[in-house]
């Protein structure tokens, strides 16, 4: 596999960054993940806008324009012969002496990794996946703004460890006020009395690109949408629950801690509408 590192493609074994990179030392960097369907990068402009937003929120200058990033991305896909791919774009602060000051790093490190997309098992969609509510809370948004899609992922990793220990696929964290926030790599939706509910961005979540599209598709399909502050107990009486992100798209949930759920009609209708947008 070939990886794009800084200014060109290198074999994956040579794709190395310095141990002095502040991304490695301090998690000082940002990233995006996106899907490529049939050679087309889905919602690439939205992902680049978010990458630029993350960069500006941490005072990082991305060493490439959007057009240059797109070029590098397609070069990486072509060189690897990938048409269905998962792509991660990472920009870290770069290498510099030990110390927190970003000014110690002269050049950001820019990486694009593309992998052939391996579909999730079909039964994740037909039967759903289990989620749990971990003990660890989502970082408070005043401490680490979730709108920064940062390399600093320890909060989510701690939640993921709890999910694994509980035999669940995803951990959906509460915020520090005990309102539902988001999964470790996903946003959560549930349906109650026919209304599609999802935690508001003000709950301290990443405003997922898939989340925004799902809201748009629901409104188009005349499904009422409510973004709000919800307790996890609300899930107990939900008729359907699902997760979203750029790679899983819309994935039904069949268990929350010990309560069982079934994939439902609104979830599958929205997923069909999502696939329609992808195919267009
Ligand atoms: N929330 C978190 C914490 C994430 O890491 C992600 C995706 O990686 C999402 C939500 C979903 O975002 P998107 O739909 O833009 O992929």
């Amino acid at each position: 596999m070939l990886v794009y590192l800084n200014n060109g493609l290198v074999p994956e074994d040579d794709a190395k960054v310095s141990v002095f990179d502040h991304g490695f030392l301090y998690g000082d960097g940002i990233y995006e993940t996106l899907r490529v369907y049939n050679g087309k990068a889905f919602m690439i402009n939205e992902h680049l806008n978010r990458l630029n937003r993350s960069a500006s929120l941490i005072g990082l200058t991305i060493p490439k324009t959007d057009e240059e990033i797109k070029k590098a991305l397609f070069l990486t896909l072509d060189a690897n012969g990938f048409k269905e791919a998962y792509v991660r774009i990472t920009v870290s602060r770069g290498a510099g002496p030990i110390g927190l000051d970003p000014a110690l790093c002269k050049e950001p490190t820019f990486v694009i990794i593309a992998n052939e997309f391996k579909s999730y098992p079909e039964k994740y969609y037909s039967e759903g996946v289990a989620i749990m509510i971990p003990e660890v809370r989502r970082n408070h948004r005043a401490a680490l703004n979730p709108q920064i899609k940062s390399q600093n992922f320890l909060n989510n990793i701690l939640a993921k460890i709890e999910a694994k220990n509980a035999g669940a696929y995803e951990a959906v964290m509460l915020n520090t006020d005990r309102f539902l926030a988001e999964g470790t790599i996903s946003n959560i939706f549930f349906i109650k009395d026919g209304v599609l509910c999802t935690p508001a961005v003000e709950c301290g979540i990443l405003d997922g690109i898939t989340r925004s599209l799902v809201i748009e598709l629901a409104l188009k399909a005349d499904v009422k949408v409510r973004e709000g502050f919800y307790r996890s107990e609300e899930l107990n009486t939900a008729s359907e629950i699902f997760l979203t992100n750029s790679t899983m798209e819309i994935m039904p949930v069949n268990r929350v801690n010990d309560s069982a759920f079934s994939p439902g009609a609104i979830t599958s209708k929205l997923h069909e509408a999502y696939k329609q947008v992808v195919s267009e």
Side-chain angles (χ1 to χ4, degrees), residues 154-209:
L154 209 43
N155 181 211
N156 313 47
I157 290 167
L158 291 174
K160 180 70 182 180
I161 291 169
E162 288 192 54
K164 275 194 82 178
N165 290 342
Y169 181 73
E170 174 67 304
V172 174
M173 292 173 274
L174 305 180
N175 67 17
T176 50
D177 295 320
R178 300 185 65 88
F179 288 106
L180 279 172
E182 63 182 338
T184 62
I185 54 161
S186 61
N187 292 115
I188 183 165
F189 287 82
F190 60 96
I191 292 154
K192 208 157 181 181
D193 304 323
V195 178
L196 182 64
C197 305
T198 194
V201 170
E202 293 72 25
C203 293
I205 61 166
L206 178 74
D207 53 345
I209 288 167

Side-chain angles (χ1 to χ4, degrees), residues 47-171:
H47 283 281
L48 291 180
N49 287 345
R50 193 167 64 184
L51 188 74
N52 285 313
R53 181 184 73 188
S54 296
S56 115
L57 287 168
I58 69 164
L60 174 72
T61 305
I62 298 178
K64 291 195 185 328
T65 62
D66 287 0
E67 286 315 306
E68 287 168 340
I69 296 178
K70 285 184 194 173
K71 254 193 184 162
L73 168 54
F74 289 109
L75 188 70
T76 312
L77 291 169
D78 282 351
N80 286 293
F82 296 151
K83 284 235 171 290
E84 299 297 324
Y86 159 95
V87 173
R88 178 176 161 125
I89 305 169
T90 307
V91 192
S92 78
R93 193 75 67 179
I98 287 177
L100 300 192
D101 185 353
L104 293 167
C105 310
K106 298 292 169 243
E107 270 294 309
T109 303
F110 178 90
V111 177
I112 299 178
I113 299 171
N115 268 311
E116 184 119 60
F117 184 73
K118 294 207 175 58
S119 303
Y120 291 92
E122 179 43 40
K123 74 171 194 184
Y124 286 13
Y125 294 99
S126 57
E127 295 173 19
V129 295
I131 63 171
M132 53 83 75
I133 311 291
E135 287 294 318
V136 71
R137 298 280 184 271
R138 187 72 179 109
N139 282 329
H140 193 288
R141 64 194 178 119
L144 181 56
N145 185 351
Q147 309 301 329
I148 304 166
K149 197 161 163 56
S150 97
Q151 268 178 271
N152 196 316
F153 231 53
L154 209 43
N155 181 211
N156 313 47
I157 290 167
L158 291 174
K160 180 70 182 180
I161 291 169
E162 288 192 54
K164 275 194 82 178
N165 290 342
Y169 181 73
E170 174 67 304

